[in-house]
Every structure is written in structure tokens, then in C-alpha cells.
């Protein structure tokens, strides 16, 4: 049966659709153009840093203005195929991409998670959720929780009011627009109390959304918050 299915539906590259060896894989050319983050990175925001180090290092931005979460990481840089994958996931209902991305993210997030960690996606506003039909961050959170054998909750956090699309807005404006926009869903009561939380989102730009979500978790009594995104914006140096 498996063999028959393989003949009828051979595995395809997530990006270009070319034939590949295994499910949820990338062909050699697409793999080469996918900027996986490895090596030294800021322990808080995941931005790549030059050199090597055997202790936690922090970028200048995080030293100047530490984000509210404890540690953070990302699987990809948000450019080339890193950007392509995020956009395909966001706008294309691509559960196959979410499955692969969650495995990459779980590998990065593993050191940030303990046995009692609760995996929580950053919420979309309901209206946007209805338009897009699914929250891509919830799919990622589910996959990460499965890979790391952790509990997860798709709707622990919610957005109060509709926030405008923030692409192209300045850093200050993003933070102002988003503060107080996210909180624990009251029906989730003491879910996070004294528990470590791993927040999951598709892409980190300024960190404003993740900051608002972190504040909401801490206000709900979370013991400690770490963040993991599929991609993060990396400025050219
Ligand atoms: Zn390909
Ligand atoms: Zn940083």
C-alpha cells in the first residue's frame, strides 16, 4: 500500500514541487537557498552574531532594551527561501510546510524547553483568523509540542482588538499599537500559573507582537517565557 501510494504520490519538494527522497523535504537546490540559522546567535532574540562562544551572548539591541522573554531562537533567516516558506505557510494553507517547519523549530527550541513547558501560539485576531481560516502559528506550536513531547494550547491567548497590518510600520509604532492587545483567554484560567511557556510565531521582526504576548503570559502567572519563531528578520551587515 505504502509503495503504491509512493508511486501515485511521490514526495515533492515543499518549495518547487520537484521530486525528493522523503516527505516534508526540500530538493538540493531549494535546501541550498534556505538560510537555516546555525552557529552563534543572540540568546534572547536569535539574531546571528559573529564568532564563536561557549556561553550565552546577547546582541547590542537586546543589551540596550532587553525583551520581556528569557531566551529566544529562530530556525531560518527571513530572506530567500526563509521568506518564501513563511509566505507560503501564511497564505497557502500549507500544512505540509508547517509539519517540516515545526521539526526544524523543535530542534532549535529543545534547549529552551523543560518537561512542564506549555507551548502556546501567538494569536491572530479573530477577523484575520476567519479570513485565513487557520492560524499558522498554532500549526507550528502543535508540531513543536509533538516533536518535544510537550503540552500545548492553541487558544490560550487572544487579541482584544483588531490590530492593523504592521508591515512597514516603525518600531515605536508597532510596540505602541500592540501593547495591551493580547491577554490570556479568561476561560483558560490558571493554565499558565507557575508554568514555563514557549511562545511560537511564524516570523520575528521587531519583536513587538512577541513582547505583547510575553507580557500577557507573565500577567497570567507564567513562570518563565521563551520564544521560538520559524524565521527572523536579519538586517544585512
Ligand atoms: Zn525544490
Ligand atoms: Zn538580541
Amino acid at each position: 500500500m505504502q509503495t503504491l501510494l509512493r508511486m501515485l504520490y511521490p514526495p515533492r519538494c515543499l518549495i518547487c514541487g520537484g521530486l525528493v527522497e522523503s516527505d516534508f523535504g526540500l530538493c538540493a537546490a531549494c535546501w541550498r537557498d534556505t538560510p537555516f540559522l546555525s552557529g552563534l546567535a543572540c540568546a534572547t532574540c536569535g539574531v546571528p552574531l559573529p564568532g564563536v562562544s561557549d556561553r550565552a551572548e546577547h546582541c547590542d539591541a537586546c543589551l540596550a532594551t532587553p525583551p520581556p522573554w528569557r531566551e529566544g531562537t529562530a530556525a531560518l533567516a527571513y530572506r530567500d527561501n526563509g521568506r518564501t516558506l513563511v509566505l507560503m505557510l501564511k497564505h497557502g494553507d500549507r500544512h505540509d510546510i508547517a509539519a517540516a517547519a515545526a521539526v526544524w523549530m523543535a530542534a532549535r527550541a529543545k534547549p529552551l524547553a523543560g518537561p512542564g513547558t506549555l507551548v502556546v501560539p501567538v494569536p491572530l485576531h479573530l477577523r484575520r483568523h476567519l479570513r485565513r481560516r487557520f492560524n499558522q502559528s498554532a500549526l507550528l506550536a502543535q508540531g513543536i509540542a509533538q516533536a518535544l513531547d510537550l503540552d500545548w494550547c492553541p487558544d490560550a491567548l487572544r487579541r482584544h482588538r483588531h490590530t492593523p497590518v504592521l508591515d512597514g510600520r516603525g518600531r515605536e509604532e508597532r510596540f505602541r499599537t500592540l501593547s495591551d492587545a493580547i491577554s490570556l483567554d479568561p476561560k483558560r484560567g490558571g493554565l499558565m500559573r507557575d508554568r514555563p511557556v514557549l511562545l511560537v510565531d511564524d516570523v520575528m521582526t521587531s519583536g513587538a507582537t512577541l513582547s505583547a504576548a510575553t507580557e500577557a503570559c507573565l500577567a497570567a502567572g507564567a513562570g518563565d517565557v521563551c520564544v521560538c519563531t520559524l524565521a527572523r528578520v536579519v538586517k544585512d551587515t
Side-chain angles (χ1 to χ4, degrees):
M1 186 65 189
Q2 203 71 33
T3 319
L4 182 64
L5 278 175
R6 275 291 153 96
M7 281 165 61
L8 289 171
Y9 305 105
R12 301 260 173 193
C13 171
L14 292 170
I15 294 175
C16 73
L19 292 175
V20 289
E21 293 290 314
S22 64
D23 288 325
F24 309 129
L26 296 172
C27 73
C30 289
W31 181 273
R32 227 174 14 245
D33 290 336
T34 303
F36 286 95
L37 293 174
S38 57
L40 188 62
C42 172
T44 319
C45 74
V47 76
L49 295 173
V52 287
S53 174
D54 50 13
R55 60 192 183 99
E57 301 288 348
H58 302 274
C59 73
D60 291 344
C62 289
L63 287 173
T65 318
W69 61 84
R70 180 171 59 86
E71 282 184 78
T73 188
L76 309 171
Y78 188 65
R79 58 174 158 78
D80 304 325
N81 280 341
R83 187 166 177 276
T84 304
L85 284 162
V86 168
L87 295 178
M88 287 169 101
L89 176 66
K90 201 179 271 216
H91 300 294
D93 243 342
R94 292 289 301 273
H95 291 233
D96 54 341
I97 290 179
V103 172
W104 303 332
M105 292 167 78
R108 302 288 285 172
K110 196 166 187 220
L112 309 184
T117 298
L118 179 71
V119 187
V120 170
V122 167
L124 283 179
H125 189 275
L126 188 61
R127 249 193 292 159
R128 202 168 292 160
H129 196 162
L130 291 177
R131 198 162 57 230
R132 276 199 206 138
R133 300 201 301 287
F134 78 111
N135 177 358
Q136 68 280 358
S137 300
L139 288 181
L140 296 172
Q142 182 182 29
I144 292 168
Q146 267 164 9
L148 298 179
D149 198 19
L150 299 170
D151 292 341
W152 78 292
C153 180
D155 55 357
L157 298 175
R158 58 170 198 171
R159 286 199 195 214
H160 302 280
R161 46 193 160 77
H162 187 69
T163 39
V165 173
L166 292 169
D167 299 342
R169 305 289 180 98
R171 180 183 170 84
E172 296 288 317
E173 196 180 345
R174 281 171 178 258
F175 277 82
R176 203 168 46 243
T177 310
L178 284 163
S179 67
D180 300 330
I182 299 175
S183 71
L184 184 79
D185 191 313
K187 70 176 183 291
R188 293 298 174 190
L191 180 71
M192 293 184 186
R193 187 150 300 283
D194 299 325
R195 253 187 123 166
V197 169
L198 179 68
L199 272 175
V200 173
D201 208 355
D202 53 359
V203 55
M204 186 192 304
T205 308
S206 65
T209 311
L210 283 161
S211 287
T214 301
E215 300 288 4
C217 294
L218 294 172
D224 161 66
V225 180
C226 288
V227 306
C228 181
T229 60
L230 171 56
R232 79 141 7 269
V233 172
V234 177
K235 292 196 193 89
D236 295 326
T237 44

